[in-house]
Amino acid sequence: HVAEGKDYVIDRFDVEGGMTHDWFLHGMAEEEGLFETSIVLNKPVSTLVPVWGGTARPKNQYEADNEGKKIHAYGYLKDIMRGSADQSWTATWKYKNSGLRTHNLINTSNEVFRFKSPSVRPANEDDNKLDSFMRLGYMQRHSGGKSSFIALHEPFKSEPWIESVKAEGDSYLVKYKLNGLMIEDRITVKGNHTEVVSGAGWKYRSGSE
């Protein structure tokens, strides 16, 4: 929490095992809104269903089976566009009264996909209307036995307010203006331990402060 109407969240997900790791972020359920990225995602992809996955078209939101061999959950995704990221990039949703900018901090090259997916809420839980209500989202894919997906989520009312975000090892440096001054926060995440040192004059250490 920085100030009234200014909050951000560090989102770090570490995973090990298997060869392909997919990290999804979906937009607001109530509005499709506008979606833009700082990287180019312009290569059409017909489907993200893997070769072993079922390609039968799901008739409703509950029909995808647990193993995905008959109907795979990725079959819900439409208008898929692909690109790649080998450096940090941003994804921004803009809605009628709010927005969200997500800073994706890259430590290895990832494939990136943008897509539309059904939004159940505005369809009033009517499975026959799912094609009429969509939300915008993206997925990052990393191939290898170990992955770390790091993002900073920056909600805003009218315009983004964070000046810059960068990673230094296990630390993340966030710069923004507060009361006319440029402030830098350093957030360090190691295992279950988190430490924050803010240029605004306060510190936090998980378990002690």
Side-chain angles (χ1 to χ4, degrees):
H1 176 68
V2 172
E4 182 67 28
K6 291 185 177 181
D7 300 88
Y8 64 83
V9 176
I10 294 285
D11 177 354
R12 175 167 164 172
F13 181 68
D14 300 317
V15 58
E16 189 169 359
M19 292 305 297
T20 301
H21 302 141
D22 293 347
W23 184 94
F24 281 83
L25 192 62
H26 298 274
M28 183 192 292
E30 290 83 358
E31 295 179 44
E32 184 173 320
L34 300 174
F35 180 69
E36 57 187 29
T37 62
S38 64
I39 57 173
V40 177
L41 303 175
N42 61 358
K43 299 176 182 177
V45 176
S46 59
T47 182
L48 285 172
V49 175
V51 293
W52 54 264
T55 57
R57 180 175 172 82
K59 296 179 181 178
N60 57 58
Q61 59 174 308
Y62 305 107
E63 198 174 2
D65 58 279
N66 291 334
E67 295 184 354
K69 293 180 180 179
K70 179 182 178 182
I71 299 173
H72 197 282
Y74 286 11
Y76 289 106
L77 307 179
K78 297 182 176 182
D79 299 341
I80 306 166
M81 304 295 283
R82 176 188 173 277
S84 61
D86 54 13
Q87 60 184 359
S88 297
W89 64 282
T90 60
T92 305
W93 288 265
K94 291 185 177 180
Y95 302 106
K96 183 178 179 181
N97 297 312
S98 63
L100 177 73
R101 180 168 65 171
T102 293
H103 303 255
N104 300 278
L105 305 177
I106 302 297
N107 51 24
T108 56
S109 181
N110 290 335
E111 286 186 286
V112 183
F113 304 85
R114 62 175 292 165
F115 56 82
K116 291 183 178 181
S117 60
S119 186
V120 179
R121 194 172 301 165
N124 293 319
E125 306 293 330
D126 186 341
D127 296 322
N128 296 317
K129 296 181 179 179
L130 291 183
D131 286 344
S132 300
F133 299 94
M134 308 298 285
R135 57 180 175 169
L136 298 160
Y138 71 94
M139 182 262 277
Q140 295 186 94
R141 171 172 288 174
H142 179 248
S143 298
K146 187 176 183 179
S147 302
S148 184
F149 297 100
I150 305 157
L152 182 143
H153 305 298
E154 173 195 359
F156 59 88
K157 185 172 180 60
S158 56
E159 295 294 334
W161 52 275
I162 290 178
E163 297 283 336
S164 67
V165 180
K166 67 177 183 178
E168 289 185 355
D170 289 320
S171 295
Y172 312 107
L173 280 62
V174 185
K175 285 186 177 181
Y176 52 86
K177 288 182 179 179
L178 181 63
N179 299 325
L181 300 175
M182 186 65 72
I183 303 295
E184 181 178 84
D185 295 341
R186 176 182 287 267
I187 301 95
T188 302
V189 180
K190 291 184 178 180
N192 293 325
H193 178 80
T194 302
E195 180 180 270
V196 182
V197 179
S198 175
W202 58 271
K203 298 180 181 180
Y204 168 83
R205 234 182 236 113
S206 57
S208 61
E209 294 182 63

